[in-house]
């Protein structure tokens, strides 16, 4: 007869899960970082299970000027109920350590997954309401402007860059999801039924990596004749020579010339870069990954700031113009080290 009891390993994992639920109450779950020239050290808003932390007073002052509601713990029922919800899940996981029933473990995983989806929807709703329901009599009113922070990742809000990411407690709860998924896959023999042998672990590692890496490095299209170069300040008008970097936090910086990007990176060495993109010369305003691109360098290449570098996604296309421009092929490593 097939057993419905879970293994000792799964019970140990559930004990860890229970501990993570309770420990997450001691740390902030989410953080929204704000970067602006007038705040070089940045501002941060930290959301705990039961309170709001960080530079709340300063952020509330800024919100007042642009017509946003100020943030107060008392205005959110979530800060009252979340500690009880996490306590419930922690006790649920602890009970499963002793009860050791597969169905109970499946229910724990499904219910917490559903809670995560509902929490994300609620967080989006909260961000939307605060970013869109503005006081029309505020000191600063920008027609058509909304100040909704991103649910996850980076977003530009006037001269502020807003970056939203899980904090310590949030990463603990992401760990909970991964660990519970491991238990469910193991105890329900999902690996044997649907997955080829020996790749279950790889699947979990892939899940972990995808959650951590998210999509912070996605290219942000350059708006020609609207965006300015973040190095020289000139308007980006040519869609053949521009470039872009995405920082490790997901913030984009745009440039009208590849060498403007290189110079910016040299002058801001402390900025951690997640990805580099350059315009494909043969296409109009199409950004491609710099590390897999073919480059030509020469004095006859008329780039906006006389950087003299053009990029191509296809090597044959670069060779067609090599002799015409009296240019030479250069690698990305040679360019970035100039």
């Amino acid at each position: 007869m097939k057993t419905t009891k879970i293994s000792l390993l799964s019970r140990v994992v559930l004990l860890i899960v229970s501990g993570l639920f309770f420990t997450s109450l001691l740390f902030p779950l989410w953080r929204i970082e704000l970067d602006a020239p007038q705040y070089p050290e940045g501002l941060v808003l930290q959301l705990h299970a039961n309170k709001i932390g960080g530079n709340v007073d300063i952020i509330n002052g800024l919100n007042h000027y642009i017509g946003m509601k100020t943030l107060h713990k008392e205005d959110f029922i979530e800060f009252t109920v979340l500690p009880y919800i996490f306590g419930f899940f922690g006790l649920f996981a602890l009970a499963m350590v002793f009860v050791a029933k597969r169905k109970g473990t499946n229910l724990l995983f499904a219910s917490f997954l559903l809670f995560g989806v509902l929490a994300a929807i609620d967080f989006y709703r909260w961000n939307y309401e605060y970013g869109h329901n503005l006081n029309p009599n505020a000191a600063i009113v920008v027609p058509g402007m909304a100040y909704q922070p991103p649910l996850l990742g980076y977003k530009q809000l006037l001269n502020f860059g807003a970056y939203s990411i899980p904090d310590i407690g949030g990463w603990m709860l992401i760990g909970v999801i991964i660990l519970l998924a491991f238990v469910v896959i193991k105890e329900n023999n999902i690996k044997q039924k649907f997955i080829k042998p020996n790749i279950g672990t790889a699947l979990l590692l892939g899940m972990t990596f995808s959650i951590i890496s998210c999509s912070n490095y996605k290219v942000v299209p350059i708006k020609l004749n609207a965006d300015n170069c973040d190095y020289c300040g000139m308007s980006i008008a040519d869609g053949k020579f521009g470039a872009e970097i995405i920082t490790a936090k997901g913030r984009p910086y745009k440039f009208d010339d590849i060498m403007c990007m290189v110079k910016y990176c040299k002058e801001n060495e402390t900025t951690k870069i997640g990805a580099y993109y350059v315009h494909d010369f043969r296409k109009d305003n199409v950004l491609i990954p710099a590390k897999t691109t073919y480059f030509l360098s020469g004095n006859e290449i008329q780039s906006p700031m006389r950087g003299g570098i053009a990029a191509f996604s296809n090597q044959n296309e670069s060779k067609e113009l090599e002799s015409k421009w009296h240019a030479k092929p250069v690698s990305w490593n040679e360019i970035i080290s100039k």
Side-chain angles (χ1 to χ4, degrees):
M1 183 177 178
K2 193 173 182 179
T3 179
T4 60
K5 289 282 187 179
I6 61 175
S7 65
L8 177 60
L9 174 59
S10 293
R11 292 166 71 182
V12 171
V13 171
L14 286 173
L15 185 61
I16 296 172
V17 165
S18 178
L20 287 174
F21 274 123
F22 289 116
T23 308
S24 68
L25 294 171
L26 304 176
F27 298 95
L29 303 174
W30 208 268
R31 64 190 292 119
I32 299 176
E33 298 178 4
L34 299 172
D35 296 321
Q38 63 268 44
Y39 295 99
E41 296 182 359
L43 301 174
V44 63
L45 184 71
Q46 292 179 302
L47 304 177
H48 298 247
N50 62 344
K51 64 180 180 180
I52 307 175
N55 307 112
V56 183
D57 292 338
I58 298 175
I59 292 173
N60 276 341
L62 294 170
N63 287 352
H64 175 73
Y65 280 110
I66 59 176
M68 290 179 68
K69 293 181 180 179
T70 52
L71 302 169
H72 304 282
K73 170 188 172 181
E74 297 76 17
D75 296 333
F76 300 91
I77 190 174
E78 291 88 344
F79 294 126
T80 300
V81 302
L82 277 178
Y84 293 104
I85 292 175
F86 291 160
F88 165 76
F89 280 121
L91 291 174
F92 194 165
L94 185 60
M96 287 303 102
V97 173
F98 299 100
V99 175
K101 292 287 187 179
R102 191 190 322 130
K103 287 185 178 180
T105 304
N106 292 346
L107 179 60
L108 172 61
F109 174 68
S111 57
F112 184 61
L113 196 61
L114 176 61
F115 165 78
V117 172
L118 294 177
I121 294 172
D122 183 61
F123 186 42
Y124 178 86
R125 177 194 59 81
W126 175 78
N127 282 340
Y128 183 89
E129 289 182 356
Y130 268 75
H132 286 78
N133 296 335
L134 307 175
N135 183 351
N137 299 316
I140 300 174
V141 176
V142 180
M145 182 67 188
Y147 302 95
Q148 180 181 356
L151 183 65
L152 178 67
Y154 175 83
K155 186 177 182 180
Q156 189 72 31
L157 301 171
L158 292 182
N159 65 326
F160 278 88
Y163 180 66
S164 178
I165 193 173
D167 212 318
I168 297 174
W171 288 117
M172 289 181 178
L173 296 179
I174 289 173
V176 163
I177 284 288
I178 294 170
L179 291 174
L180 287 177
F182 167 77
V183 172
V184 169
I185 290 172
K186 180 181 183 302
E187 297 301 330
N188 291 276
N189 295 317
I190 294 176
K191 186 176 76 169
Q192 286 77 13
K193 292 177 181 177
F194 303 105
I195 308 174
K196 292 182 180 179
N198 302 322
I199 68 170
T201 302
L203 177 65
L204 288 176
L205 289 175
M207 183 193 307
T208 305
F209 177 78
S210 64
I211 292 173
I212 293 175
S213 63
C214 301
S215 56
N216 293 337
Y217 302 155
K218 284 185 178 179
V219 65
V220 178
I222 292 176
K223 298 177 182 177
L224 297 181
N225 301 307
D227 289 334
N228 293 330
C229 177
D230 282 304
Y231 179 75
C232 68
M234 300 293 289
S235 175
I236 305 176
D238 194 328
K240 294 182 178 296
F241 295 100
E244 179 176 289
I245 58 174
I246 308 294
T247 68
K249 289 186 174 182
R251 179 171 184 171
Y253 288 88
K254 303 175 182 181
F255 308 94
D256 63 344
D257 192 297
I258 292 174
M259 286 311 298
C260 277
M261 175 177 69
V262 173
K263 292 174 183 177
Y264 177 90
C265 293
K266 284 188 176 296
E267 294 181 10
N268 296 271
E269 292 182 350
T270 58
T271 300
K272 294 182 179 179
I273 309 301
Y276 299 85
Y277 294 94
V278 292
H279 270 148
D280 187 341
F281 180 81
R282 285 296 196 184
K283 299 174 183 177
D284 185 38
N285 198 23
V286 175
L287 290 165
I288 55 178
K291 293 182 179 180
T292 58
T293 295
Y294 301 94
F295 295 93
L296 288 179
S297 176
N299 294 330
E300 295 185 22
I301 299 177
Q302 302 296 311
S303 62
M305 301 307 293
R306 298 295 183 259
I309 296 176
F312 302 85
S313 58
N314 186 292
Q315 188 175 24
N316 292 331
E317 292 178 348
S318 69
K319 286 184 176 181
E320 289 175 9
L321 293 173
E322 187 176 328
S323 58
K324 177 182 177 181
W325 284 339
H326 301 97
K328 65 176 183 178
V330 290
S331 68
W332 169 244
N333 288 333
E334 289 176 299
I335 293 171
I336 202 67
S337 61
K338 282 191 176 185

